[in-house]
Structures are given as structure tokens and as C-alpha cells.
Amino acid sequence: MPKQRITKEMVVNAAFEIARTSGMEQVMVKNIAEKLGCSVQPIYCYCKNMNGLRQDVAEQVNGFMQKYVVAHINKNDLFCSTGKAYIQLAKEEPHLFKIFILHQREGISSLNDLYQLEANPQIAEMIASELNISVTQAKQLHLNMLIYTIGIGTIFSVTTPGISANEIYEQQEIAYEAFLKQALEYEGK
């Protein structure tokens, strides 16, 4: 039987699956080799250091997150359903959610930098149009909801036996109403 050729893609995919089921802390050469059914030697060929491999895994997690959210949003209620999709992801894929939240983001020195990196610029325009507020206030509302959703999603993903999704959705709705009220009051000034 011929030996299977191990590729970098196979290594990254195996590392992703390990991270998905057990967390990033279990992404180790010996675990990857075991998952691929090979010695550690091919892994070392592609992984000069584990930080590079973990960055590759984090990029794959980001791609997974984007596809997941797109597949779970309601096109008639993009804004609220996106927040709910993140919470659902935190419930279904807690390890991936933690990786997404905790991965290093370079070049971020303000919340605006974070917003520019993490948010689709057309979302603020869509929110502004839908709620009849300025794009500036829509961005602030969106940023507030991103921060809140990431925070409550993190709590949701690290609690056992777990907070009910309905309780989390109710809290999201309360936060949304408060942030929206703030945006509308600011618009009136």
C-alpha cells in the first residue's frame, strides 16, 4: 500500500478539526499526526512554528464563521438575525467561537479600527436606511451591538450546563432597544 502524501492543507484541516472539537490548546503536532495517521515528521515540514499554524486555523475559523452567519440570517431582518446567528454559533461551535473572539487582531488601536476590520461597511448603510437614522449613528448602533453580542456570546459559550438561548436572545433584544433609543435621541439633538 503506497504511503499517503501529507499536504499543508491536510495539516491545517486536521488542526481545524482538532480546534473545533477540543479547542485551540489541543492543536499540537502529536495530535495532528494522530488525526492524520502519520508520524510527526510531515507536520514539522509544514509547521516551522505553531503560531503560524494557529494563525492558519484562525483564518479558517473566520471563513467558517462568515459562511455560518450568512447561512443562518433572515434576509428580511438582517440586523437582528445576524446577532442571533452569532449566538447560535456560540452554542453549536463553542470552541470555534472562542477562537474567533480570542485570535490576535493586528493594527487595532481603536474601536473604530475594530469595526472597520470586523463589519461589512454596507451594514451601517442598510441599518441607517431601515431605521431612518444617519450612517454615523447606524455605525455606532452596530458597533454597540457587536460589542454586546460578542460579550454575551462569550458568556454563553463558556457556561455550563448553559444559559438558555431564549434568555440570551431576550437580553440581546433589551440591549438593541436601549442602543436604538440612544441613537434616536442623539439624532434628535
Side-chain angles (χ1 to χ4, degrees):
M1 184 155 140
K3 273 189 155 180
Q4 177 182 2
R5 176 158 157 50
I6 304 298
T7 65
K8 181 177 181 180
E9 181 180 10
M10 292 167 69
V11 172
V12 173
N13 287 341
F16 173 84
E17 288 304 320
I18 292 166
R20 186 178 191 179
T21 58
S22 304
M24 189 68 95
E25 57 279 355
Q26 292 302 312
V27 175
M28 296 181 277
V29 172
K30 69 179 182 97
N31 293 344
I32 297 167
E34 184 179 308
K35 181 135 185 96
L36 291 173
C38 66
S39 72
V40 296
Q41 183 59 38
I43 312 307
Y44 283 118
C45 289
Y46 296 113
C47 304
K48 301 297 182 233
N49 66 54
M50 289 304 289
N51 287 338
L53 177 61
R54 288 189 175 110
Q55 186 59 39
D56 289 342
V57 170
E59 288 174 18
Q60 194 166 344
V61 168
N62 285 344
F64 179 91
M65 297 273 298
Q66 290 173 358
K67 289 176 188 168
Y68 183 96
V69 170
V70 166
H72 289 83
I73 57 174
N74 175 349
K75 293 190 183 353
N76 296 322
D77 188 12
L78 284 173
F79 188 53
C80 290
S81 67
T82 299
K84 286 184 178 182
Y86 276 100
I87 297 303
Q88 188 65 32
L89 178 69
K91 178 181 181 183
E92 292 176 10
E93 301 282 355
H95 295 297
L96 295 184
F97 188 81
K98 287 178 216 169
I99 293 166
F100 170 72
I101 297 305
L102 298 176
H103 82 271
Q104 188 70 34
R105 289 162 173 85
E106 300 292 328
I108 304 296
S109 60
S110 70
L111 289 174
N112 186 56
D113 290 346
L114 181 67
Y115 184 80
Q116 296 302 320
L117 177 71
E118 299 289 333
N120 178 332
Q122 289 130 1
I123 298 284
E125 293 170 10
M126 184 265 314
I127 294 168
S129 174
E130 191 174 296
L131 299 176
N132 199 25
I133 59 177
S134 73
V135 172
T136 301
Q137 284 308 111
K139 283 181 182 176
Q140 187 62 51
L141 173 62
H142 192 203
L143 176 62
N144 287 343
M145 286 307 298
L146 281 171
I147 293 167
Y148 189 84
T149 298
I150 288 168
I152 202 162
T154 302
I155 292 167
F156 188 58
S157 71
V158 298
T159 56
T160 56
I163 302 167
S164 84
N166 286 337
E167 184 176 358
I168 298 295
Y169 296 147
E170 287 173 23
Q171 284 302 130
Q172 264 185 316
E173 190 61 33
I174 290 168
Y176 169 73
E177 293 296 329
F179 292 139
L180 177 59
K181 181 179 177 190
Q182 177 189 35
L184 292 174
E185 286 174 358
Y186 185 81
E187 282 296 307
K189 292 182 179 179

